[in-house]
Each structure stands twice: as structure tokens, then as C-alpha cells.
Amino acid sequence: MKFILVTGSSGLIGSEAVEHFDRQGHRVHGIDNNMRAVFFGEPGDTTWNRDRLLKITKKFTHHDLDIRDRTRLDTLFRSIRFDLIVHCAAQPSHDKARDIPILDFEVNALGTLNLLEATRLHCPNAVFILLSTSKVYGDAPNELPLKELEMRWDYARPDDYQGINENCRIDRTLHSLFGASKASADLMAQEYGRYFGMKVGIFRGGCLTGPSHSGVELHGFLSYLVKVAISDTTYTVFGYKAKQVRDNIHSHDVVCAIEEFAANPRPGEVYNLGGGRENSISMLEAIAKVEQMTGKKMSWTYVDQNRIGDHICYISDLRKLKSHYPNWNITVSLDEIFHQIIVDHTQRLSSAGA
Ligand SMILES: NC(=O)c1ccc[n+]([C@@H]2O[C@H](COP(=O)([O-])OP(=O)(O)OC[C@H]3O[C@@H](n4cnc5c(N)ncnc54)[C@H](O)[C@@H]3O)[C@@H](O)[C@H]2O)c1
């Protein structure tokens, strides 16, 4: 049995990690102060997910704690010697960071440093996982030559077919403040791996998704899209002719990658982690798929101006991760992801109306 700390434990990835490791009989502690509701208002509230976890888990302990609070973190790390830290707490939105630059940096960069340092001081042999993001590459992926297809943008050169790999540069690009605060955390985490030799792994997420997301317009692409479709409201698409492409990975496959790394850590390594080409989809394709799977026409509008620094076509190249961890693969298909999110949102909507 291991002692595992999950930050952001009421969020999408954190809650999946809690469920997964609790099911295996480990002692899981979660940190979450429901800050998603501070960032995004009531629709971002994650207390429903915290309550769900407390009901279904066997040995899970929740701590209503802010990762910016070094004193309380220190007390927690003194009282429990963790074997694994899965750090998922974040201000996760590209666009939101523009309104709250200091809070964004404090949570994403300083919060990560607080956790890395607490780990170094109290449990330096623990494995530390940072959920980083494809936004650390800023808009550099947009420099690849693209071709326009009927429903999506795609890479023009056969060599780029597998998508963006970890050699893409992370500086001299337009990140958004969110991308810059996450890049700071990413670099700091690499340093704790490389400089201190700690077992730190960094996963740069594409679109991470699943039914436990509290999707809002500013964060949680498929979750929010389905929510809008089911609740008969209107979705707004920003730019790129609605042909922008994202690769989507189910939270279960994210946690399985974390588990593989934890079993055989490589200090300071970075991995791109998304759905890869097979789970990639454009905005137009996603709208068509939701319509086909719900049997309802979706209401959406188009704004010509794209989000600043937004990726046009982003597909995670998964070859490095698969070569280091050959037991890992994508197991949840895009259709299954859509199906799960639709079922979950339909249930949430009917229980809200009941
Ligand atoms: N979902 C995606 O598409 C995506 C893509 C790339 C990277 N990521 C990264 O993966 C990680 C997890 O993302 P997610 O989708 O699960 O996000 P999420 O918003 O669903 O979960 C994050 C949780 O952290 C909590 N939190 C925020 N600030 C906190 C603080 N100061 N102290 C304690 N708790 C705090 C929030 O209340 C929330 O429950 C984040 O680091 C995010 O940047 C996510």
C-alpha cells in the first residue's frame, strides 16, 4: 500500500487519479479548495465531484487546502510521507489568465514550486508527476505547414503526420499568460528532476477529457460542447473556419500513463500526452458527431477572430511515451469518450431538473 497525494482532486484528472489508486487499495489524500469555482463561477464548481469521491472511495481523505499555502502544505507533508504526488491543481484556462495574471502565476508556477520543494524536503524519493500542457509550446506548432481539408486543418508534410513532439521549442513563441505560467512550472519540475535527481515526470497534455469535467466555455472543450448541445444553448466557435483540430484523451488513459511512469520513473523527462491522431477531431467534425450521437441539431455561432495564440492543428506525437512505456496505449476511443460525456451530462441535467 502506498501513500498518494493528488492535488486538484475534485477536478477532471485529479478525481480520476483518486478513484484509480483508491480502487487499488492505496491511501489517497486529495487537495482541492474548489478554486475552479473562483475562476469560472458556479458552472466550474467541483464540489459535486468531491462529494462523489467521498461516497465511492474506501480510504480517501480530502483536504480543503490551497496549494499556495506553504505553511499548511508543510504541515501535511510532515505528517504523511508520500510515495507519489500527482499534481493536477491549476488555473487551467488560456484565456482566463489574461484577467488574473498574478493569481494565475501564483497557482500554476508558485503552487508547483511549493509542492516540489515540500517533496524535496520531506519525501525526496517520492515520484512527482506534473500535469503540464501543450500550451508550453505557445503558437510554435502553428508554424508547421498546413493543408486545408473540407472539415479540418491537417499537417501538410508526411513527416509531421504523427503530430507535435517534445523537440518543439518552448520559447520565442506566443503562449498566453497561462502558457507562460505553466511553462515556468514545467521548467521548474524538469529542474527538480535533473538538478536534484528527483523522480519527476512532466506530461504535456493535449485535450484531456472525460465525464468528470466541470466544463465551462473557457475550459473543457468536449465537456462544454456536449453540455451546450444537451441544454439547447448556443456554442461559439472562434476562428480558423471552425476547422481547428484537437486530440482528445480520456482521463483514464492519462492516469494509466502516470501509473506507468511511477512504476519506472525517469527523472526530469517530459512527454506529450494527448489522444494522438486516432482521437483527433476538428470543431466542425465534433459538432457533427455530437449532432449524430444526440440526434439533435446543435446551435452554434462563428466569430472570425481566433483566440490569441490558439493552436490551429494540435495532435500530440505519442511515440516517445510509447517507446519508454510500451505497456501504455490509448484504450478509450473518441466515440466512447463522446458516449460517456453525453450519458453523464444527460444524467446531470435530468437530476438538476428533478
Ligand atoms: N483538461 C485539459 O484539457 C488539460 C489540457 C492540458 C493540460 N491540463 C492540465 O492538467 C491539469 C488538470 O486539469 P483538469 O482538466 O483536471 O483541471 P480541473 O480544473 O478540472 O481541475 C483542477 C482542480 O484544481 C483545483 N484547484 C485550482 N487551484 C487550486 C489551488 N490553488 N489549491 C487547491 N486546488 C486548486 C480546482 O478547484 C479544480 O478542482 C491542470 O494542470 C491542467 O493545466 C489540462
Side-chain angles (χ1 to χ4, degrees):
M1 191 202 56
K2 293 204 158 83
F3 285 87
I4 297 177
L5 178 66
V6 177
T7 74
S9 50
S10 312
L12 169 72
I13 303 303
S15 61
E16 183 80 45
V18 169
E19 267 190 82
H20 185 87
F21 292 119
D22 177 84
R23 219 180 290 127
Q24 294 178 344
H26 300 298
R27 273 259 176 231
V28 186
H29 288 256
I31 289 180
D32 203 302
N33 64 349
N34 195 28
M35 211 157 175
R36 191 172 170 92
V38 174
F39 301 138
F40 307 120
E42 190 269 324
D45 196 304
T46 55
T47 46
W48 66 273
N49 206 16
R50 178 202 61 196
D51 295 345
R52 185 183 67 84
L53 287 178
L54 289 170
K55 234 180 256 154
I56 61 168
T57 50
K58 295 186 283 270
K59 294 184 191 149
F60 170 57
T61 310
H62 179 84
H63 303 264
D64 187 347
L65 199 161
D66 191 325
I67 59 164
R68 294 173 300 162
D69 186 340
R70 269 201 290 277
T71 312
R72 285 192 62 203
L73 275 184
D74 194 64
T75 307
L76 179 65
F77 273 77
R78 272 178 201 281
S79 63
I80 302 161
R81 189 177 290 264
F82 294 110
D83 301 293
L84 169 64
I85 291 107
V86 184
H87 176 30
C88 311
Q91 189 300 102
S93 161
H94 185 101
D95 290 329
K96 182 70 194 173
R98 163 183 62 202
D99 306 328
I100 48 167
I102 302 215
L103 184 55
D104 174 80
F105 194 83
E106 281 178 352
V107 173
N108 289 351
L110 202 52
T112 300
L113 180 58
N114 290 342
L115 285 155
L116 286 164
E117 187 58 7
T119 303
R120 185 176 79 88
L121 293 178
H122 301 294
C123 48
N125 290 322
V127 173
F128 187 106
I129 305 291
L130 171 68
L131 267 296
S132 182
T133 168
S134 57
K135 296 288 178 344
V136 301
Y137 300 121
D139 62 356
N142 292 352
E143 292 162 10
L144 294 186
L146 297 175
K147 59 183 176 194
E148 185 178 353
L149 306 179
E150 193 194 342
M151 296 284 277
R152 63 157 71 193
W153 294 102
D154 207 340
Y155 303 119
R157 298 182 304 209
D159 282 359
D160 298 327
Y161 183 79
Q162 295 292 342
I164 308 297
N165 68 35
E166 295 79 0
N167 295 325
C168 183
R169 73 176 195 284
I170 71 163
D171 67 342
R172 292 165 290 117
T173 88
L174 177 68
H175 288 92
S176 81
L177 296 183
F178 160 76
S181 66
K182 291 292 279 188
S184 310
D186 185 305
L187 284 177
M188 207 43 106
Q190 287 187 52
E191 216 53 40
Y192 272 70
R194 288 165 187 256
Y195 188 91
F196 291 125
M198 284 166 52
K199 298 167 190 155
V200 180
I202 294 116
F203 290 90
R204 296 178 172 163
C207 267
L208 316 182
T209 190
S212 307
H213 224 179
S214 308
V216 291
E217 183 170 23
L218 291 176
H219 185 245
F221 162 49
L222 287 187
S223 171
Y224 181 67
L225 182 77
V226 170
K227 187 174 170 179
V228 168
I230 288 180
S231 58
D232 290 326
T233 45
T234 302
Y235 191 92
T236 307
V237 178
F238 295 93
Y240 302 144
K241 302 184 185 173
K243 295 183 180 184
Q244 54 271 58
V245 171
R246 298 289 179 269
D247 67 329
N248 301 278
I249 179 171
H250 192 283
S251 45
H252 172 74
D253 285 333
V254 173
V255 172
C256 289
I258 291 171
E259 189 173 31
E260 285 292 319
F261 181 93
N264 188 11
R266 293 168 171 248
E269 278 292 359
V270 297
Y271 299 98
N272 288 350
L273 178 63
R277 177 161 286 273
E278 56 188 303
N279 275 13
S280 71
I281 196 163
S282 74
M283 224 33 266
L284 285 180
E285 291 165 347
I287 289 168
K289 193 174 273 294
V290 174
E291 288 182 341
Q292 177 229 320
M293 291 180 83
T294 59
K296 281 163 84 170
K297 194 98 191 117
M298 204 177 150
S299 159
W300 62 284
T301 55
Y302 179 75
V303 175
D304 209 26
Q305 181 60 53
N306 60 272
R307 293 188 152 127
I308 301 173
D310 204 17
H311 292 149
I312 305 171
C313 179
Y314 192 92
I315 295 176
S316 310
D317 184 341
L318 301 173
R319 286 177 293 184
K320 178 178 174 187
L321 180 61
K322 286 183 181 176
S323 75
H324 286 190
Y325 299 103
N327 290 332
W328 181 86
N329 211 336
I330 293 287
T331 65
V332 187
S333 69
L334 199 52
D335 277 357
E336 178 59 24
I337 290 174
F338 270 93
H339 173 70
Q340 287 187 17
I341 300 180
I342 290 170
V343 168
D344 183 77
H345 275 294
T346 308
Q347 279 165 358
R348 278 201 241 171
L349 195 72
S350 68
S351 52

